[in-house]
Amino acid sequence: MKPVRIVLADDHPLIREAIGHLVSSTPEFELVGEAANGKECLARVQELRPDILVLDIAMPEMNGEQVAREIRRRCPEVKVIALSGYTDRQFVHAMTKAGAKGYVVKSASGRELIHALRAVASGKSYLSPEVTGAVMTLWEEDGTPNLGSALPRSLGRREKEVLKLIAEGHRSAAIAAQMGITVATVEAHRRNILRKLQLHNAADLTRYALRYGVITL
């Protein structure tokens, strides 16, 4: 399988070096180019035609929103992941409207960025947990996808079933009996769900399930 080809754009050399090392050390990805400003980024993407562009939203020459809009127009096959220090609604809204498939905050771990790259490479969307509250206010009235529903798609079908049952208050033994699996498998699903959603306990899962309509009161 060919590696996913990535271009990285950020005006801070230290960030480019750190993310570049992270991406290059993951066999399924290949860093094929870098850029330090918006105009250079646009040129590199048109030249290299990567699978994914990891794009800082605050850059000289052209900002991330401007670049993303041009990428969508000139190279629509290239998927954009916004990389930002901002969690404010207006930044998330601007980048999703410009066509970004992912939004990762700079305070995220390297593991989260890799998870975002995998999600976007497979055709899904990804939002850092820090910005999901902002996205909950974005509705489709202006044609912008409400990506608040993106994170649940990071769960597998069985994980979603387990999440629903946990949120409804069922214990592991009851879930195992209902789903025809072992208690150990239920617990493994629970751990994976908590890790993927970056939550800590059953109460967090219940609040999450209510927010995203997995269950209703």
Side-chain angles (χ1 to χ4, degrees):
M1 184 180 296
K2 293 182 178 179
V4 176
R5 301 171 69 250
I6 295 169
V7 165
L8 168 63
D10 194 291
D11 60 328
H12 293 92
L14 187 60
I15 291 178
R16 292 200 308 273
E17 182 178 346
I19 294 178
H21 176 74
L22 174 70
V23 169
S24 298
S25 62
T26 307
E28 66 204 87
F29 301 120
E30 179 185 5
L31 183 65
V32 297
E34 298 182 16
N37 63 62
K39 288 185 177 180
E40 181 184 5
C41 172
L42 190 57
R44 295 293 278 163
V45 169
Q46 290 183 101
E47 172 194 356
L48 298 169
R49 300 285 171 156
D51 300 300
I52 296 176
L53 167 63
V54 178
L55 175 64
D56 182 19
I57 72 171
M59 288 191 300
E61 303 292 340
M62 296 172 67
N63 64 38
E65 180 185 356
Q66 293 169 324
V67 173
R69 289 186 186 280
E70 284 299 308
I71 294 298
R72 184 172 61 180
R73 184 174 69 86
R74 303 185 192 188
C75 312
E77 75 281 5
V78 177
K79 300 171 182 176
V80 175
I81 296 178
L83 185 65
S84 175
Y86 305 110
T87 60
D88 306 74
R89 177 187 184 277
Q90 63 266 31
F91 294 107
V92 184
H93 194 182
M95 292 306 296
T96 53
K97 283 193 70 175
K101 301 299 182 183
Y103 194 104
V104 177
V105 297
K106 289 187 176 181
S107 59
S109 65
R111 185 175 66 178
E112 183 181 338
L113 179 58
I114 293 298
H115 181 64
L117 287 167
R118 287 171 176 158
V120 170
S122 66
K124 300 175 183 178
S125 299
Y126 185 87
L127 296 172
S128 285
E130 292 88 340
V131 302
T132 55
V135 176
M136 287 295 291
T137 64
L138 303 182
W139 305 102
E140 294 184 357
E141 58 190 21
D142 61 354
T144 302
N146 181 0
L147 294 185
S149 61
L151 284 176
R153 290 201 296 271
S154 69
L155 301 180
R157 179 179 61 84
R158 299 292 270 180
E159 290 171 336
K160 290 178 181 177
E161 293 178 19
V162 171
L163 169 60
K164 183 176 186 295
L165 293 169
I166 292 173
E168 289 175 344
H170 299 284
R171 296 185 179 277
S172 294
I175 295 172
Q178 183 168 330
M179 296 181 65
I181 57 180
T182 66
V183 172
T185 300
V186 172
E187 291 301 318
H189 282 316
R190 181 195 297 264
R191 289 192 297 272
N192 288 335
I193 294 165
L194 290 169
R195 174 180 55 79
K196 287 182 177 182
L197 301 182
Q198 298 194 4
L199 301 175
H200 300 94
N201 51 46
D204 288 345
L205 288 175
T206 300
R207 284 191 290 269
Y208 181 93
L210 285 168
R211 169 175 287 184
Y212 289 102
V214 178
I215 62 172
T216 58
L217 291 174

